[in-house]
Amino acid sequence: MKLMKYITGCSAALLLLAACDKEEGPSIDDYFLNYEIPEIPVTEDYQVGIFYNKGTDIASRPNGDANFTRWELLTLTDAELSAKNDYNNLTPQVMPASQQESFLQPDAGSQSYRMIPMVQQHVDDCIEAGANFMILPEAGVDLGKGPGTEINQGDSLFITMMLGRSGRGGKRLPMPHLGQPGVDFVDLKTMKIVAAINWNNIVDMSPTLSSSNCIETATGRTYDGVTYTRQELLNNFFSKIGCYFSDERYYKVGGTRPMVYIKNKTGEIYAQDAKAMYDSIREAVKKATGYDIYIMVESADVWCNQMRYQYFYMEGCVDAVASRNMYDQSEMSRSYMYPQMIDQNWKYNRETALPAFGNGSMEYVPTIGPGWNKLVQDGRGSIGNSPIVKKDPAIYRTMCNVAKMNAGRSRLILIDSYNKYNFDSFIEPTVEGYGNGYGKTYLELTRQQFKKN
């Protein structure tokens, strides 16, 4: 009897469901991510910055892979890969145009005859892409040089080379723009540069900054019997970076405020009063250089809301927070709707985090990239925990429009990057006819999307 009642009840429920109008149920049209990214017309030029990389880590073997180097995982074709081990067509298989003769990545410690023309070509490409400035590899602090807190020598050499102040073999110019641009010296032409800052050495000094060891009370460093606080070391370092601000080729927001980009440890500067810490840096730079700096920090997390960093750079009232490359994450489900997911993330940050701090002047700066392939950097072990974004002009165009939808009043947008080979996140031209080569496609798309002409 109980069984009969159960069957009767289930039958009645099924009949009731069958009688419902299909339109009364949930619809995909109601899903909040189900929308198209519109094409945003360029009525005024955007200010575009492109990250520029250096170093030779691409020559290393990912996770000790005995078969391949990172360079080979970037450039080898299917047939060449399969001869050693099958990577299932997941690798980029492209040849960066400037690297086709031999491996020539920029190296801060060398200004060889062959490197200068290569860097010049990189500068020319960025100009062709419509970029306004190149964010250089982060410059670190050398605490061994005394209270002046000098810039790491190799980093300083690289910046002076990019500014055309030093050239082949370390030769120095008495004045900028002398010599032979593109042969002995780099000529930025219409391009500007921005210094990125790596303040790790100050943050990680023993004892490392923490919630119980803030910058105001942390042990400093003693030189010639005089102890300098962590704040004084920071002030000195930023002031040293300021030696480049007077150069006409250094990028200034609004034409007057030199931009500095803080790349590392933005979520690890513990301070009892973050605003006072940043204000002290600003005052020191103003006193040393006469400039009011524009401080942009890189988001301490790829996808977290910036409210999480309330007691760090948000209450520090920096001028701008830049997103990191949103493809650098491990949540597979996000990758199916990246444009909408990223758009909503940026919108949420703009509507919640930014209005909550300071006087409302803080900007959120979108960062986009053409692709992401952690397989090149980490080998097979990365395939299961990091979505691969293969380069696709249509998707890049869509992401450009997501960036335009979320740009702030200064219309700043960052591209990651010109030459981040080890993640296949670069817009540098590749050799057409070689593997999956696409020529200047991404240079052309970048200009089309962010410039009026």
Side-chain angles (χ1 to χ4, degrees):
M1 191 63 161
K2 288 183 179 180
L3 178 60
M4 182 61 68
K5 287 182 178 180
Y6 176 75
I7 293 173
T8 302
C10 289
S11 299
L14 289 171
L15 288 170
L16 182 61
L17 288 172
C20 291
D21 191 322
K22 289 183 179 180
E23 293 184 359
E24 294 178 6
S27 168
I28 188 62
D29 295 333
D30 300 326
Y31 188 52
F32 78 106
L33 290 177
N34 183 30
Y35 63 95
E36 295 292 326
I37 303 297
E39 179 71 30
I40 307 298
V42 182
T43 57
E44 179 184 349
D45 286 351
Y46 290 85
Q47 295 293 296
V48 178
I50 297 182
F51 287 96
Y52 189 62
N53 295 273
K54 65 177 175 63
T56 57
D57 65 333
I58 186 105
S60 303
R61 298 186 182 278
N63 290 338
D65 191 328
N67 290 318
F68 303 105
T69 63
R70 291 169 181 160
W71 179 250
E72 289 172 323
L73 289 179
L74 175 71
T75 61
L76 293 185
T77 61
D78 265 345
E80 295 169 312
L81 288 166
S82 298
K84 294 183 179 180
N85 209 329
D86 188 7
Y87 268 81
N88 301 315
N89 197 34
L90 293 174
T91 55
Q93 302 182 34
V94 294
M95 176 62 69
S98 67
Q99 306 294 314
Q100 56 188 312
E101 293 183 4
S102 63
F103 185 72
L104 291 171
Q105 259 200 293
D107 176 10
S110 171
Q111 293 182 5
S112 69
Y113 175 77
R114 301 182 70 190
M115 191 184 93
I116 297 292
M118 179 193 68
V119 175
Q120 184 65 55
Q121 183 60 56
H122 294 174
V123 170
D124 293 344
D125 285 344
C126 288
I127 292 173
E128 187 172 347
N132 299 89
F133 58 94
M134 299 167 71
I135 301 178
L136 301 188
E138 58 267 31
V141 56
D142 187 345
L143 291 173
K145 294 292 182 68
T149 320
E150 299 291 340
I151 307 168
N152 173 277
Q153 184 177 4
D155 298 337
S156 176
L157 181 64
F158 194 83
I159 296 173
T160 59
M161 182 196 73
M162 293 298 295
L163 287 172
R165 297 183 182 182
S166 62
R168 179 165 55 108
K171 292 194 301 184
R172 294 185 174 275
L173 296 172
M175 292 181 65
H177 297 310
L178 297 181
Q180 294 179 305
V183 179
D184 288 328
F185 300 92
V186 173
D187 183 6
L188 284 177
K189 301 177 182 176
T190 60
M191 183 56 59
K192 313 286 185 184
I193 64 104
V194 165
I197 288 179
N198 179 348
W199 54 13
N200 289 15
N201 284 358
I202 295 174
V203 178
D204 293 336
M205 276 176 57
S206 182
T208 303
L209 295 184
S210 67
S211 58
S212 59
N213 187 49
C214 294
I215 192 168
E216 293 90 344
T217 57
T219 303
R221 193 175 181 96
T222 301
Y223 298 93
D224 298 326
V226 179
T227 298
Y228 294 81
T229 67
R230 299 284 182 99
Q231 182 72 63
E232 289 171 327
L233 294 175
L234 275 180
N235 293 352
N236 290 343
F237 178 48
F238 274 77
S239 297
K240 287 290 184 179
I241 294 288
C243 71
Y244 305 114
F245 295 164
S246 60
D247 197 301
E248 63 181 10
R249 292 153 297 185
Y250 196 96
Y251 182 76
K252 300 173 181 67
V253 178
T256 60
R257 300 183 64 194
M259 177 191 291
V260 291
Y261 185 93
I262 303 175
K263 188 170 179 60
N264 292 308
K265 303 285 186 179
T266 51
E268 297 182 40
I269 291 284
Y270 291 84
Q272 296 168 355
D273 186 342
K275 187 174 188 307
M277 185 202 75
Y278 279 102
D279 284 348
S280 183
I281 292 173
R282 295 180 190 278
E283 291 168 8
V285 172
K286 175 77 171 180
K287 182 178 179 181
T289 69
Y291 285 103
D292 293 311
I293 58 173
Y294 184 95
I295 299 177
M296 184 186 295
V297 301
E298 184 175 79
S299 172
D301 188 273
V302 182
W303 282 80
C304 279
N305 185 274
Q306 301 308 306
M307 297 281 278
R308 178 178 181 180
Y309 300 100
Q310 171 180 348
Y311 300 109
F312 299 88
Y313 47 82
M314 296 306 291
E315 283 195 350
C317 293
V318 298
D319 295 287
V321 179
S323 73
R324 287 161 59 185
N325 189 326
M326 304 294 278
Y327 293 154
D328 182 14
Q329 58 92 39
S330 58
E331 181 59 54
M332 294 294 176
S333 60
R334 290 176 179 146
S335 66
Y336 290 101
M337 298 190 76
Y338 264 142
Q340 289 80 8
M341 287 276 195
I342 293 171
D343 179 39
Q344 291 298 312
N345 180 282
W346 289 346
K347 180 181 179 182
Y348 187 65
N349 271 288
R350 289 188 295 104
E351 293 179 351
T352 59
L354 267 63
F357 301 99
N359 59 6
S361 63
M362 199 180 305
E363 297 189 72
Y364 195 72
V365 180
T367 301
I368 61 171
W372 192 261
N373 194 335
K374 206 172 181 181
L375 174 64
V376 178
Q377 170 74 15
D378 291 346
R380 271 184 224 83
S382 69
I383 296 176
N385 61 17
S386 181
I388 291 176
V389 182
K390 290 191 174 184
K391 287 177 176 171
D392 182 320
I395 294 175
Y396 182 67
R397 184 182 296 109
T398 299
M399 285 307 305
C400 288
N401 283 286
V402 173
K404 288 185 284 188
M405 290 165 63
N406 290 278
R409 67 183 181 284
S410 297
R411 303 176 72 81
L412 289 162
I413 288 172
L414 305 182
I415 309 295
D416 182 33
S417 66
Y418 176 79
N419 58 341
K420 188 180 282 185
Y421 303 137
N422 54 331
F423 289 96
D424 190 31
S425 182
F426 62 91
I427 66 170
E428 176 183 347
T430 59
V431 178
E432 291 189 273
Y434 180 98
N436 298 318
Y438 43 77
K440 294 186 175 183
T441 296
Y442 293 94
L443 297 186
E444 294 165 353
L445 280 172
T446 302
R447 174 173 282 279
Q448 291 168 8
Q449 286 295 316
F450 299 119
K451 300 299 177 182
K452 290 175 66 175
N453 49 52

